[in-house]
Amino acid sequence: MTDSRVPRSRRFLVCEPRHFAVQYAINPWMHPDKPVDVDLAQEQWQQLIRAYRTHGHAVDSVEPVPGLPDMVFAANAAFVVGGRVFGSLFHAPERRPESVHYDTWFKAAGYDVHRPESVTEGEGDLVWTGRYVLAGTGFRTTREAHREAQEFLGHPVIGLTLVDPYFYHLDTALFVLDDDNICYYPEAFSAGSREVLKRLYPNAVLATREDAMAFGLNSVSDGRNVFIAPQAEALAERLTGHGYVPVPVDLSEFHKAGGGIKCCTQEIR
């Protein structure tokens, strides 16, 4: 089955963790009293970039800015489909300045950037499936932002409600495997949202809470290769059984801020 999975070259936007730190607490993972090893974070991040390039993916970079320790989490800065950039308006005041620097990068690269009026956190809560947008709400991104995104992007947006504070963004509870399937942790969602996902993806790969707590769902797939936290061993085995190829990349230092592989990766479509 593995040979039938076809990888697709992607273009990613990232930000070096030069100023990464846990200076405040805006999710259950963050504890400012626990030190971050910046050198280790830099080394882990470089491993991710090497893994992407080794597998044929293009990587662009935004210059990090002093005083913005979470800017490394590039996925939260925007959502890009068909060359249209739906920007971010962060829930936490501490992160709002990040948007300006990402918007500047996109505009300089020639993209049409929409400044949202409602709270929304990019690919943290907006996930492209190839046909429509799955959109998370409950902790950060608002339902009003879902409507705003649909109007700007012209693609159907399907709202999903998150109910567990440890999985405050959609990309901590779900990721797209390919144009036909997803992987997700059902209990991170409300009962109605679980029914929606079951109808849309009856053959989805289901994850456990242990998988999710290991940041196994904060993964990136190119349709064949799945860049995944090595701590999510059981999920990696399950994905292998479905014909995908796990590519373990340890970003454990970033888990201290509630982020992982996907959080550090913005996809430009």
Side-chain angles (χ1 to χ4, degrees):
M1 185 184 294
T2 300
D3 291 340
S4 68
R5 303 290 184 194
V6 180
R8 191 176 79 233
S9 296
R10 309 295 177 100
R11 183 185 178 195
F12 299 132
L13 181 63
V14 300
C15 182
E16 180 191 348
R18 194 181 308 159
H19 309 294
F20 176 60
V22 178
Q23 298 177 346
Y24 42 77
I26 58 174
N27 66 57
W29 302 93
M30 301 180 84
H31 301 282
D33 57 322
K34 294 183 178 179
V36 168
D37 186 332
V38 179
D39 291 337
L40 177 57
Q42 183 77 245
E43 181 182 330
Q44 291 180 342
W45 183 83
Q46 291 290 350
Q47 289 175 355
L48 177 64
I49 305 310
R50 286 195 294 270
Y52 283 152
R53 288 177 170 153
T54 297
H55 287 82
H57 304 302
V59 180
D60 292 308
S61 187
V62 170
E63 184 69 16
V65 176
L68 298 179
D70 283 340
M71 196 171 166
V72 63
F73 299 126
N76 303 154
F79 178 74
V80 186
V81 175
R84 291 186 175 187
V85 179
F86 187 72
S88 289
L89 177 60
F90 285 94
H91 180 269
E94 295 91 339
R95 296 199 64 186
R96 290 193 174 182
E98 296 175 30
S99 299
V100 175
H101 302 286
Y102 280 95
D103 288 356
T104 298
W105 187 93
F106 279 112
K107 289 176 181 178
Y111 288 90
D112 176 19
V113 179
H114 174 77
R115 295 296 314 133
E117 298 178 1
S118 307
V119 171
T120 181
E121 300 200 344
E123 285 193 326
D125 276 323
L126 301 175
V127 175
W128 178 244
T129 68
R131 292 169 288 173
Y132 42 75
V133 180
L134 297 178
T137 190
F139 297 100
R140 300 289 183 84
T141 299
T142 64
R143 291 192 181 278
E144 289 75 14
H146 295 181
R147 291 190 285 270
E148 197 176 342
Q150 181 167 279
E151 287 301 310
F152 175 70
L153 298 169
H155 291 289
V157 174
I158 299 172
L160 301 168
T161 301
L162 296 161
V163 296
D164 188 323
Y166 277 93
F167 312 115
Y168 56 92
H169 272 157
L170 186 59
D171 72 358
T172 64
L174 175 154
F175 72 97
V176 172
L177 286 164
D178 50 40
D179 289 343
D180 299 313
N181 212 1
I182 65 171
C183 178
Y184 70 100
Y185 168 49
E187 284 70 29
F189 299 90
S190 66
S193 296
R194 290 198 298 270
E195 287 298 317
V196 168
L197 288 170
K198 192 182 299 183
R199 290 175 185 276
L200 291 174
Y201 298 99
N203 300 313
V205 178
L206 301 184
T208 65
R209 184 175 180 81
E210 289 72 25
D211 297 327
M213 291 294 286
F215 287 82
L217 292 165
N218 198 239
S219 297
V220 171
S221 172
D222 63 15
R224 183 176 190 269
N225 304 294
V226 179
F227 303 87
I228 188 171
Q231 295 83 359
E233 294 180 11
L235 181 56
E237 289 181 11
R238 214 168 302 129
L239 291 168
T240 299
H242 284 78
Y244 299 95
V245 180
V247 180
V249 183
D250 185 10
L251 290 194
S252 54
E253 204 61 21
F254 297 93
H255 297 178
K256 296 176 180 179
I261 292 171
K262 176 55 194 171
C263 289
C264 290
T265 311
Q266 165 74 235
E267 185 172 353
I268 301 177
R269 305 172 190 85

